[in-house]
Amino acid sequence: MFKGILITKDGAGYRAEVQQIDEAVLPDGDVTVRVEWSTLNYKDGLAITGKSPVVRRFPMIPGIDFAGTVTQSSHPDWQAGDKVVLNGWGVGETHCGGLAEVARVKGDWLVPLPKAFTTRQAMAIGTAGYTAMLCVLALEKHGIKPADGEILVTGANGGVGSVAIALLARLGYTVVASTGRPAEAEHLKALGAETLIERSELAAPGKPIGKERWAGVIDTVGSHTLANACATTKYRGAVAACGLAGGMDFPATVAPFILRGITLYGIDSVMAPRSVRQEAWERLARDLDIGKLNSVTREIGLAEAIQVGAELLDGKVRGRVVVNLAQ
């Protein structure tokens, strides 16, 4: 038996509760991990509250991220004592996840914990930071350099936005942060944002094509925000889209693509191949100022995770939340 959050759905309804869980609940896998730290992402909030059909089978342990120590392994790449990180792969949705003291997964899903990070720091980064790094890599590989102009980051107060700002600023880019919380201006500037704009400037229906401003964009919002970001991106610029906090729709036209030759990169963090994951984590170890991330990281115990998951969906959570499985 081990402690964790278990989501059940039956005639009595949908419930997420902290309880002692029988190891028989764990699915098949060739590596067992003692989870030390997990985290809360937007998708975890959806799973815990049941506000969206994220969980595909029951009972389910939520948590799309975890970091910890291998205790058992029949996989050739891992042995007891190895420190590992997992992000995505359907964990917390179709395969029991990281908001519990024990996880059993496929060894191919794991990456080694970079020596630069503790397991707590890895979860302060989590899927949010790993996704932010994938976005930065997309802009870099497109050829966008700091001298090319401003980079827009939408949903700047969220986990992806916060890490993206810190990464871009460290790499020398001029960052413009879009947020619906102007009271957080000093916090965003401390992360490295040069300028702030109100979320409302991008959230309403806009013109098919607007004045060129952004050399590149990292968008976590979707919907009209993504459409407007594309419409105002410079000639041959690029937009990395990784979220849908504002909606799954994309009410745009082809104008920015055929008149300005911009590129829209879709950023998938869930099923990205292992080589891409390792590149992202190696770059995070090199380029992320972990001190900046520590300043926007809140630590909670497992017992608080259910309430904080709901707060996250309500936009009441700033930066990152890490869950200490030892509490």
Side-chain angles (χ1 to χ4, degrees):
M1 303 288 286
F2 57 91
K3 186 171 67 173
I5 295 176
L6 193 67
I7 298 173
T8 55
K9 184 179 181 182
D10 52 31
Y14 188 102
R15 299 182 305 283
E17 300 171 311
V18 177
Q19 57 182 271
Q20 291 294 315
I21 301 172
D22 193 302
E23 192 167 326
V25 169
L26 295 176
D28 292 338
D30 49 13
V31 179
T32 302
V33 178
R34 175 173 54 81
V35 180
E36 297 167 16
W37 293 88
S38 186
T39 183
L40 289 177
N41 298 282
Y42 193 82
K43 189 179 287 186
D44 298 318
L46 292 173
I48 288 168
T49 62
K51 289 187 176 180
S52 182
V54 168
V55 177
R56 306 297 174 84
R57 74 171 186 85
F58 300 90
M60 175 58 61
I61 298 169
I64 67 172
D65 292 329
F66 65 76
T69 303
V70 173
T71 56
Q72 293 181 341
S73 174
S74 59
H75 191 284
D77 291 347
W78 308 108
Q79 58 185 2
D82 288 341
K83 295 286 187 179
V84 293
V85 178
L86 184 141
N87 309 107
W89 292 115
V91 168
E93 303 173 69
T94 59
H95 190 103
C96 285
L99 286 169
E101 293 173 326
V102 178
R104 185 185 296 137
V105 297
K106 295 181 179 180
D108 288 343
W109 296 350
L110 299 167
V111 296
L113 175 74
K115 288 183 170 57
F117 301 133
T118 64
T119 49
R120 183 189 187 279
Q121 289 170 333
M123 285 298 95
I125 296 167
T127 282
Y130 149 64
T131 303
M133 190 72 247
L134 292 177
C135 292
V136 172
L137 288 169
L139 298 185
E140 284 184 343
K141 290 173 182 178
H142 190 78
I144 297 171
K145 301 178 291 298
D148 293 332
E150 296 175 317
I151 306 295
L152 172 68
V153 176
T154 69
N157 273 303
V160 176
S162 296
V163 180
I165 292 168
L167 284 168
L168 289 165
R170 180 78 173 264
L171 292 167
Y173 292 90
T174 301
V175 183
V176 177
S178 169
T179 179
R181 291 183 261 177
E184 300 287 352
E186 292 308 312
H187 153 66
L188 293 172
K189 288 182 178 180
L191 286 174
E194 189 76 21
T195 312
L196 269 66
I197 62 172
E198 271 279 355
R199 177 174 61 194
S200 58
E201 290 187 33
L202 298 167
K207 297 178 180 179
I209 198 161
K211 183 178 179 181
E212 295 179 61
R213 180 166 181 184
W214 323 114
V217 179
I218 294 177
D219 176 64
T220 70
V221 179
S223 192
H224 292 291
T225 297
L226 176 57
N228 287 324
C230 289
T232 50
T233 294
K234 290 181 178 181
Y235 183 74
R236 298 192 69 80
V239 177
C242 65
L244 45 72
M248 193 179 288
D249 59 323
F250 182 39
T253 74
V254 298
F257 305 98
I258 64 173
L259 297 180
R260 290 188 182 150
I262 76 160
T263 299
L264 177 59
Y265 289 99
I267 305 300
D268 164 51
S269 62
V270 177
M271 303 301 290
R274 194 170 173 187
S275 60
V276 172
R277 294 167 183 268
Q278 290 194 211
E279 180 186 12
W281 277 100
E282 287 167 5
R283 283 291 304 275
L284 284 161
R286 190 186 86 185
D287 296 325
L288 180 63
D289 183 344
I290 199 69
K292 285 187 176 180
L293 195 57
N294 288 339
S295 70
V296 295
T297 300
R298 172 184 173 191
E299 180 179 325
I300 64 172
L302 193 60
E304 301 168 77
I306 293 174
Q307 177 59 39
V308 176
E311 292 173 2
L312 193 152
L313 296 189
D314 291 336
K316 297 177 180 177
V317 175
R318 182 183 84 179
R320 303 289 296 132
V321 176
V322 292
V323 183
N324 186 351
L325 271 299
Q327 287 188 9

